[in-house]
Amino acid sequence: MRCLLVAINSKYIHSNPAVYLLRECALRDLKQKQIFGVEVELAEYTINHHASEIFDDIYLHHADLVCFSCYIWNIEYVRQLVRNLKNLCPSVKIWVGGPEVSYDCESFLRSLLQVDGVLYGEGEKSFPALIEYYAAREKDANPLSKTFPDGAAWLDENGIFHQTSPQPAHTDGISFHLFMMRQDGWMVLRIELFIMRQAEAVPFLAAIVFHQ
């Protein structure tokens, strides 16, 4: 099974930390639960790319599950890409997340029926669970978990809206890479995110360390 996380940024100098963090959470979850045969890939573009270029590249990944990170600057691109991708590859599962779709999941789903579902809340927990759900279904048509994870919204085959309540994520020791473009070439930043349990009044402390 192959999953593709898609980010369409507003400028070529921007990156999307969310998709890098989600991939690391998913890979860690797969490793801990010893779920094998699952690839989690990233694809980053900008709104300056022609939509057909983005579509061609997404198609060439041959992913079974495609997840789009949605913001105000890329939502129209996402809508166009989702329609085209579902028309060409009807078996591909398409999920979306981000502020532009999570504030009213039902309205968005009804406006774009090619989307299989919306992840909302803290994706550090719901995204790995979504991959686990589809990986289980790939091996067993009737897995033990027959519903989507917490923090998911979808329409069933009868058009009835369903959603599950999101759960707080508990992440620790997560590290991921950001790739940023400078005029004189590529610069790689390694970002390490540590979240440690503290006193009840301050349950989490996060520190971000940059290394150039």
Side-chain angles (χ1 to χ4, degrees):
M1 175 183 162
R2 179 175 295 174
C3 173
L4 179 66
L5 280 161
V6 179
I8 304 174
N9 305 316
S10 59
K11 294 182 179 181
Y12 76 96
I13 59 173
H14 292 172
S15 188
N16 186 328
V19 293
Y20 288 86
L21 179 58
L22 292 179
R23 181 179 65 172
E24 290 301 320
C25 289
L27 293 176
R28 185 185 66 167
D29 186 76
L30 292 169
K31 182 178 180 180
Q32 288 177 344
K33 297 181 179 180
Q34 296 187 329
I35 299 173
F36 305 107
V38 179
E39 299 177 44
V40 184
E41 301 177 348
L42 297 177
E44 281 198 282
Y45 314 96
T46 76
I47 57 175
N48 296 314
H49 285 101
H50 195 280
S52 62
E53 295 180 66
I54 299 176
F55 175 78
D56 290 346
D57 192 67
I58 291 174
Y59 173 76
L60 290 174
H61 279 82
H62 301 295
D64 305 291
L65 171 64
V66 179
C67 301
F68 290 90
S69 181
C70 302
Y71 296 89
I72 191 171
W73 59 79
N74 69 14
I75 189 62
E76 293 307 317
Y77 267 70
V78 170
R79 287 179 178 274
Q80 181 179 349
L81 291 167
V82 166
R83 293 189 186 99
N84 292 340
L85 184 60
K86 202 67 168 184
N87 287 339
L88 184 62
C89 306
S91 63
V92 172
K93 302 302 180 183
I94 301 176
W95 283 70
V96 296
E100 198 61 21
V101 297
S102 57
Y103 67 92
D104 190 349
C105 299
E106 183 175 3
S107 294
F108 182 82
L109 287 167
R110 295 195 184 282
S111 71
L112 192 62
L113 296 176
Q114 292 86 352
V115 168
D116 291 282
V118 176
L119 288 179
Y120 69 102
E122 298 183 56
E124 294 92 336
K125 184 162 185 165
S126 59
F127 176 66
L130 182 69
I131 293 180
E132 184 180 349
Y133 168 82
Y134 279 117
R137 288 187 66 86
E138 188 176 54
K139 295 181 179 180
D140 183 356
N142 294 294
L144 293 177
S145 176
K146 295 185 179 182
T147 187
F148 293 118
D150 296 331
W154 69 97
L155 299 176
D156 65 20
E157 60 274 10
N158 298 315
I160 298 174
F161 177 71
H162 301 270
Q163 66 183 123
T164 55
S165 299
Q167 299 296 321
H170 301 291
T171 57
D172 54 12
I174 296 297
S175 65
F176 59 102
H177 288 81
L178 277 180
F179 296 88
M180 301 180 66
M181 175 68 87
R182 294 192 309 187
Q183 290 184 351
D184 57 348
W186 287 98
M187 176 176 67
V188 179
L189 301 178
R190 181 172 179 82
I191 297 180
E192 294 179 295
L193 174 63
F194 301 95
I195 303 180
M196 299 165 289
R197 193 174 293 276
Q198 297 291 319
E200 289 184 3
V202 186
F204 293 100
L205 173 66
I208 299 180
V209 182
F210 293 83
H211 298 288
Q212 181 171 344

